[in-house]
Amino acid sequence: MKEIGRRIQNIALLQGAMVKCIAVVLSGCGVYDGTEIHEASAVLVHLSRAGAKVQMFAPNVDQMHVVNHCEGKPTAEKRNVLQESARIARGDVSDLTKLDITAFDALVIPGGFGVAKNLSDWAVKGKEYTVQPQVEELIKGFHGVGKPLAMCCISPVLAARALPGCEITVGQDKECERWPYAQTATAMTELGCKHVNKNVGEVHIDVKNKLVTTSAFMCNAPIHEVFDGVGVMVTELLKLA
């Protein structure tokens, strides 16, 4: 009986060791000034379905600005990125300064204009942009210890700056109704990255850098196609973790 008990304990320990701990970095709440909510939800659903343990983080800073999402126009209001991210996290979100890389197996950053406004200044400076120091240090930190990263929509621009020469996808490089932001792909190439054209349900895996990217809402696609593409990204990330 004691031997059986030990075996059961060992199995439980092995199962616990197999659970992946994933850090998810948010940039607010809402496509025009924060995290794209559907992308964040898709990431969380697919991670949950895979049995991963998730902790969400966000920088405790003011947003670049607040956008009225009915009109698509900025307002005079001020909001905090961490407090807004708590809306997506159902209150369970921590200050980015508390993220301990040693406690996690991988990092995910969903898209949304918050990436380009609050995690970087891509939205206002284009190719002359910088990444928020905390965020850049985090990406380099995960990369430096060989832990994988996943980014979707516009968030691969963070990797483009933090990991020069990396391989990414933000979708397609020919602008059309389905791909209205294709110029981003061109900009990534001009920055020295290798951009790989992929459809919304596909990902690109930069094996050398353990970086998984997908276009998500860089494509004017139905929400279920974006959801499925994010699912592929999560699946491939967990294989690397």
Side-chain angles (χ1 to χ4, degrees):
M1 290 295 290
K2 288 182 179 179
E3 179 62 26
I4 292 173
R6 279 195 293 269
R7 288 180 181 177
I8 291 172
Q9 269 190 325
N10 288 338
I11 290 170
L13 287 170
L14 285 170
Q15 288 176 335
M18 291 170 65
V19 174
K20 303 299 183 183
C21 296
I22 312 298
V24 177
V25 173
L26 303 176
S27 58
C29 181
V31 59
Y32 297 132
D33 57 16
T35 297
E36 212 297 320
I37 297 170
H38 298 298
E39 291 178 17
S41 295
V43 165
L44 298 174
V45 168
H46 289 296
L47 286 172
S48 175
R49 184 170 287 148
K53 181 180 178 182
V54 177
Q55 177 61 53
M56 285 168 272
F57 296 88
N60 187 10
V61 298
D62 286 341
Q63 293 183 182
M64 187 190 94
H65 62 188
V66 177
V67 174
N68 179 326
H69 278 57
C70 290
E71 300 176 354
K73 297 177 181 178
T75 72
E77 189 178 354
K78 289 189 179 298
R79 295 190 185 186
N80 176 276
V81 175
L82 180 62
Q83 292 174 9
E84 288 299 292
S85 297
R87 296 175 182 272
I88 294 174
R90 296 172 61 85
D92 188 11
V93 62
S94 299
D95 190 322
L96 192 60
T97 59
K98 297 179 180 178
L99 200 166
D100 178 3
I101 293 173
T102 63
F104 295 93
D105 298 298
L107 173 69
V108 183
I109 307 180
F113 275 96
V115 169
K117 295 177 177 179
N118 304 325
L119 303 188
S120 74
D121 53 12
W122 169 267
V124 293
K125 293 188 177 179
K127 289 184 294 183
E128 304 303 317
Y129 74 113
T130 57
V131 177
Q132 194 215 53
Q134 271 186 330
V135 177
E136 183 167 6
E137 181 180 343
L138 189 64
I139 293 169
K140 289 180 175 179
F142 271 86
H143 177 264
V145 293
K147 294 184 177 182
L149 307 111
M151 303 181 193
C152 60
C153 193
I154 192 63
S155 64
V157 303
L158 303 175
R161 184 62 81 197
L163 307 175
C166 65
E167 300 176 4
I168 61 173
T169 188
V170 289
Q172 299 286 319
D173 60 5
K174 300 293 185 217
E175 191 167 326
C176 61
E177 183 178 355
R178 185 169 171 81
W179 296 99
Y181 309 108
Q183 70 274 12
T184 305
T186 302
M188 294 297 95
T189 301
E190 292 171 352
L191 285 167
C193 294
K194 178 181 179 182
H195 181 268
V196 182
N197 285 341
K198 293 288 182 178
N199 290 319
V200 67
E202 300 175 318
V203 303
H204 179 67
I205 305 170
D206 180 342
V207 177
K208 178 182 176 181
N209 290 302
K210 291 189 175 182
L211 172 64
V212 186
T213 52
T214 191
S215 62
F217 278 111
M218 296 296 276
C219 182
N220 186 18
I223 188 171
H224 70 277
E225 292 185 16
V226 173
F227 182 88
D228 291 346
V230 170
V232 177
M233 180 188 76
V234 168
T235 297
E236 295 301 327
L237 174 77
L238 294 175
K239 287 179 184 178
L240 296 173

